[in-house]
Amino acid sequence: LSYPYESMEPFLRLIKEAASDPEVISIKITIYRLARRAKLVEYLCAAAENGKDVTVMIELRARFDEQNNIDWSQRLEEAGCRILYGFEGYKVHSKVCLITRKDRNGVSYITQVGTGNYNEKTARQYTDLSYITADPEIGADATEFFKNLAIGNLEGEYRRLMVAPHTLKSGLMALIDREIAKGSQGYIFLKLNSVTDLDLILKLREASQAGVQVEMVVRGICCLLPGVEGETDHIQVTSIVGRYLEHARIYLFGRGQEEVLYLSSADFMTRNTEHRVEVACPIRSKAAREKIHRLIQVQRMDNTKARRMGPDGLYHPVSDRTGLVNCHDVLMRDAMEAAPKEGQSGHRARRRFSLLERLLGEKHQ
């Protein structure tokens, strides 16, 4: 799902279905910010009241939302949910939800990993990505992740997920090194809110010096100066500020068959990589990858709301293309064209099956 071009409703509907599905045994979720009126909380409470094992890791130190989160945690606890409150010195900023289901075929998982909060209000204003998958390996990692949260272990090892503060930065450094080894054939695309982590900045400079092409879309603070001769010649930094608040984090390394693509909750900031619990999830679904590539393509084409940073740290309008392209308008138009029209029989037929059944039926695709 790509917010706000698509609705959060399918995810909420998934949780609502899981709350009443007799074969669902547990729902686990990390929460950083919620809307003042949250359907998600209603559905989680209903799940607990229906006998599901519901675990909610809620961050009480979410700036400006402290009281809101305290109020919601009390409501969830009253309904029978197990509440975890995070770690001293580390904020839990990850966006992960795990549904565990057991039937005659065994245990299966549906995992959701997002770049933004489970906030139904901001999902209509912030651009975020929400990946929902029945991939058993990601489900197994998510299971281990929640086990580690429950016992306060921040040094867990995972097969697919990169998790801060233990494995995210080292994983990113290794992926950048992989591109450095390719020299001028290397390629990196990063979409972030902010870039301040010195270790990652120096590693990206090293990549540029090796000839790796580095494209970055950074909405806010960026402490890496692009285009400095002999230092960051091959790095391009663009900021897009428009109708919606750019909030998604995308990490892409390599091209073609060698490409590695992640969605994450973490910016390239020391507070994220070293002092928060963050998750980056690999995207292996062909359909999801194509959708993300379309987003990247349109953002690269923007010459209306985009500004390009120069080696002096100043931003300048992008004027190297003919015709005006506003990425927010284009992506909204894409979403409207792709949305099923009222009365389409195929859409109605698909709705007869629950999202749970559809996801589990597609897990091997």
Side-chain angles (χ1 to χ4, degrees):
L1 298 171
S2 178
Y3 309 145
Y5 312 109
E6 295 171 311
S7 170
M8 187 187 278
E9 193 59 35
F11 170 71
L12 295 172
R13 185 173 138 217
L14 178 67
I15 302 302
K16 185 179 182 180
E17 288 177 8
S20 57
D21 188 318
E23 293 176 339
V24 167
I25 57 177
S26 70
I27 303 173
K28 303 180 191 298
I29 189 168
T30 59
I31 290 176
Y32 191 72
R33 295 189 196 277
L34 289 169
R36 287 194 176 275
R37 299 180 65 182
K39 291 181 184 177
L40 176 61
V41 172
E42 295 175 26
Y43 301 154
L44 292 172
C45 290
E49 289 162 356
N50 288 337
K52 315 299 183 191
D53 173 14
V54 180
T55 300
V56 180
M57 167 66 79
I58 190 161
E59 180 54 68
L60 297 183
R61 295 165 297 178
R63 190 170 50 172
F64 308 125
D65 276 327
E66 294 90 344
Q67 187 59 53
N68 201 30
N69 285 5
I70 290 169
D71 294 341
W72 281 129
S73 67
Q74 291 171 345
R75 170 72 182 95
L76 289 160
E77 194 165 19
E78 288 167 1
C81 301
R82 181 188 182 195
I83 307 298
L84 305 175
Y85 290 111
F87 309 93
E88 184 176 353
Y90 296 89
K91 283 188 179 182
V92 180
H93 189 251
S94 56
K95 285 75 178 158
V96 183
C97 179
L98 174 68
I99 298 169
T100 303
R101 199 167 184 261
K102 187 174 183 180
D103 57 25
R104 64 174 180 270
N105 298 318
V107 175
S108 53
Y109 304 107
I110 295 175
T111 311
Q112 182 271 346
V113 180
T115 66
N117 301 301
Y118 300 106
N119 187 311
E120 297 148 52
K121 182 178 180 181
T122 59
R124 296 192 293 269
Q125 300 168 319
Y126 294 10
T127 71
D128 273 305
L129 295 167
S130 174
Y131 181 52
I132 305 172
T133 178
D135 185 317
E137 291 185 347
I138 292 176
D141 267 7
T143 300
E144 195 65 23
F145 172 71
F146 280 104
K147 285 181 182 177
N148 286 325
L149 287 184
I151 63 174
N153 177 22
L154 296 178
E155 299 185 356
E157 297 291 339
Y158 306 93
R159 292 184 62 190
R160 296 293 176 188
L161 301 179
M162 295 192 295
V163 180
H166 186 50
T167 61
L168 177 63
K169 183 185 277 194
S170 60
L172 289 169
M173 301 284 267
L175 287 166
I176 298 172
D177 278 332
R178 192 191 75 149
E179 297 309 303
I180 289 173
K182 299 176 187 176
S184 61
Q185 299 303 306
Y187 176 72
I188 298 170
F189 175 88
L190 300 167
K191 176 169 165 49
L192 303 157
N193 294 324
S194 302
V195 176
T196 63
D197 186 299
L198 182 58
D199 296 328
L200 290 168
I201 287 172
L202 293 176
K203 182 59 71 174
L204 289 170
R205 181 187 68 172
E206 183 183 341
S208 175
Q209 291 172 329
V212 177
Q213 182 184 354
V214 182
E215 290 187 86
M216 303 172 66
V217 176
V218 185
R219 170 175 53 85
I221 299 167
C222 183
C223 295
L224 189 162
L225 288 178
V228 178
E229 186 176 355
E231 301 286 340
T232 58
D233 311 64
H234 300 286
I235 298 177
Q236 176 182 284
V237 176
T238 304
S239 173
I240 298 175
V241 178
R243 175 178 179 181
Y244 303 118
L245 183 92
E246 290 294 329
H247 197 251
R249 290 88 166 187
I250 301 170
Y251 314 151
L252 187 154
F253 303 90
R255 287 191 171 99
Q257 295 298 313
E258 295 185 342
E259 178 189 281
V260 178
L261 176 62
Y262 282 83
L263 297 184
S264 180
S265 57
D267 289 307
F268 279 18
M269 305 179 75
T270 306
R271 74 178 190 186
N272 296 86
T273 58
E274 297 183 10
H275 303 295
R276 289 185 173 184
V277 176
E278 305 274 13
V279 169
C281 177
I283 307 301
R284 299 194 289 177
S285 157
K286 181 181 178 182
R289 293 170 76 91
E290 288 176 352
K291 196 167 182 178
I292 295 168
H293 271 282
R294 171 59 176 168
L295 185 152
I296 292 170
Q297 175 196 34
V298 173
Q299 296 227 318
R300 291 176 67 197
M301 293 166 57
D302 192 299
N303 58 7
T304 303
K305 298 300 181 181
R307 298 292 184 269
R308 188 78 39 78
M309 185 194 282
D312 56 359
L314 299 177
Y315 288 86
H316 309 277
V318 175
S319 57
D320 55 352
R321 300 181 184 90
T322 57
L324 296 179
V325 177
N326 181 323
C327 69
H328 294 164
D329 290 348
V330 173
L331 292 169
M332 183 58 77
R333 187 164 58 246
D334 282 359
M336 292 175 69
E337 290 173 355
K341 303 298 184 292
E342 188 65 33
Q344 282 186 351
S345 58
H347 178 54
R348 286 181 173 178
R350 286 177 67 83
R351 283 186 66 90
R352 282 200 288 267
F353 299 95
S354 73
L355 282 171
L356 282 164
E357 291 169 329
R358 280 169 48 192
L359 284 161
L360 292 171
E362 296 168 0
K363 67 181 177 182
H364 297 300
Q365 293 186 9

